[in-house]
Amino acid sequence: MKIYSSTIGRLFIAAGMLTVPASCSLEEANVNPNASTEVSVSAVLTGAEVALGFNLGVNAGLIANIYIQQASGANGDAASFDNYASSTQYFNQTWRGFYVEVLDELKIVRTTAAQRQLPYYSGISRVLSVYAYGTLTDLFGDIPYKESLYGNNITNPVYDKQEAIYKSLQEQLDSAITELSQPAANNLGALPATDDVIYGGNIERWKSLAYTLKARYAIHLTKINSTTAAQAVLNALYDGTRYRGIADNSADALVVFGAATTNANPFYQQNTNRPGWIGLGASFVNLLNGNEVTDAPTKPEGLFVDPRRAYFATPYPAGSNTYRGSAPGVPGAFSVIGSYYGTATSPVVISSFSEAKFLEAEARWRINPADPLAKTALEAAIRASFQRVLTNPADPYATPEKQQAYITAKAILNGDSGGDLKALITQKYIALFLQPEAWTDYRRTGYPALPLAKNATSVANPNGQIPRRIPYPQNEQSLNKNTPAASGYQTPALWWDK
């Protein structure tokens, strides 16, 4: 029994009338000889974008965010994720979801766009392919890359080293920016429009997303070289003094879902189809309550309650004004995902202005802890999250005065290296709720300093530590002779996490 379903992704891909398992790598443009010569680039792009949003939500987001105690596997099969005891069969759908439902479809778009001279479609598919591969390698480490997406033509693709994949991701984003920077007249056909469910064909916003992703993948390398990584972030976000990342909330990259059962938000579908299985983690709810991650889940709220609490979580008990999360590794359903992400039409976030400003804040701080622009960027990141999430002016915890008091109390950078990094990453952890990027931040910084889960010791996780990777899926281990042996939740370590 799965804890997730890919109904949406398959539905929209079916609308494109093509699901071609044999295509090609990012670096080449081979055409599957068995594929139809009449491909609807528009329909396939729509399906791929929706499939990415769905798979990002449940097949990456919920798993990663249970590990870092934003969410909890409260009951049912989901409880195994809470103490890292899941069968590797559960990760088959994560693998398939990204490779088959997203990357195969994006390769169709990119190949067809190259044939028909549609650089905007090619550039969009390149950005999204980078995102999908980047998500996979940050979950699993080394993955098939250059030999992936060939279907039956290559049944045992080699696993590329993560270091090489990261280098290629940056190169692919540069290529995408070049394609997206061409004049519209260079597209010998219709331009992306409503078929692009993320940006509605706004090419400038796609470029801003590409630059923001360059900054994201640069910050991941802080354990390798902190200053070099930080400077690469600023080089991506700024061209001299000209800012070119995601510039405001209107340019956030979102997949917004519909109200019908078959195309509703994945978190909503999860809670509707498996009620009570997914709750919120005590560490996350503690922060929303103005407490520390290690406090008891029943501790009364602190002085500075997070203004987003009523949007990110539901009260527990229902009808009360209190909130409680599940202790890690201890089954039990208390507060669950709130209205901002938990309704049928809620978005799944690809990237955002808030993330871009968190990236800038950390990069500036790493280069010069005394740089006042680091604090300016941190405050802007928190405020952008408030502006995105808060909608109820009657909420006594979210008044303008409460918002400012929270920022004043929490956005503190005073030169204490540990305290400053804790402040930066803890606030990013809250703002990037249900986004797997928060797990990457935890692994490279150690913040928030999460408590260990109960009953989390197993052969795959012998010391009961918080996972730093996902074991390779059972199907890969059984069917691909090149799959690295003996993967677990800690080893082999990801390249950027050593």
Side-chain angles (χ1 to χ4, degrees), residues 245-264:
I246 296 176
D248 55 48
N249 284 354
S250 69
D252 287 356
L254 310 173
V255 178
V256 180
F257 291 82
T261 302
T262 54
N263 66 356

Side-chain angles (χ1 to χ4, degrees), residues 101-116:
E101 296 172 9
V102 179
L103 285 165
D104 268 341
E105 303 302 306
L106 290 171
K107 188 63 193 81
I108 293 171
V109 174
R110 192 166 56 257
T111 301
T112 306
Q115 293 171 340
R116 299 178 183 174

Side-chain angles (χ1 to χ4, degrees), residues 142-305:
D142 298 346
I143 58 170
Y145 182 68
K146 289 183 178 179
E147 291 188 359
S148 66
L149 311 185
Y150 281 91
N152 291 332
N153 293 325
I154 300 180
T155 56
N156 289 275
V158 300
Y159 278 63
D160 295 89
K161 296 297 183 182
Q162 189 178 52
E163 180 177 4
I165 294 170
Y166 257 67
K167 182 175 184 292
S168 181
L169 296 184
Q170 291 286 2
E171 293 169 350
Q172 290 299 320
L173 287 170
D174 289 337
S175 295
I177 291 166
T178 297
E179 291 175 318
L180 295 167
S181 298
Q182 293 189 34
N186 285 10
N187 292 265
L188 303 185
L191 302 179
T194 56
D195 53 340
D196 167 20
V197 300
I198 296 175
Y199 279 140
N202 188 319
I203 299 304
E204 289 305 311
R205 289 183 176 175
W206 277 107
K207 287 195 289 185
S208 73
L209 173 60
Y211 282 117
T212 303
L213 291 180
K214 285 181 68 66
R216 172 192 283 193
Y217 293 118
I219 205 70
H220 289 183
L221 309 188
T222 52
K223 291 178 75 172
I224 295 173
N225 188 308
S226 175
T227 302
T228 299
Q231 189 59 59
V233 170
L234 296 182
N235 291 346
L237 294 177
Y238 285 89
D239 179 12
T241 59
R242 183 179 69 87
Y243 181 78
R244 57 189 181 184
I246 296 176
D248 55 48
N249 284 354
S250 69
D252 287 356
L254 310 173
V255 178
V256 180
F257 291 82
T261 302
T262 54
N263 66 356
N265 168 277
F267 307 123
Y268 173 83
Q269 285 203 44
Q270 173 61 51
N271 284 335
T272 300
N273 297 330
R274 306 286 194 275
W277 281 29
I278 300 295
L280 292 186
S283 294
F284 182 69
V285 178
N286 283 348
L287 290 174
L288 297 181
N289 283 334
N291 297 323
E292 294 293 327
V293 292
T294 53
D295 285 335
T298 54
K299 182 178 179 179
E301 66 186 39
L303 182 59
F304 297 102
V305 170

Side-chain angles (χ1 to χ4, degrees), residues 238 353 357-358 360-361 364 371-383 407 411 413 424:
Y238 285 89
F353 174 54
K357 299 312 284 186
F358 276 116
E360 179 181 347
R364 291 190 181 280
D371 184 352
L373 293 179
K375 181 176 173 60
T376 300
L378 174 58
E379 292 179 349
I382 300 171
R383 191 167 285 110
I407 292 173
L413 302 177
L424 282 162

Side-chain angles (χ1 to χ4, degrees), residues 74-86:
N75 286 296
D77 286 1
S80 67
F81 287 91
D82 222 45
N83 55 17
Y84 330 133
S86 305

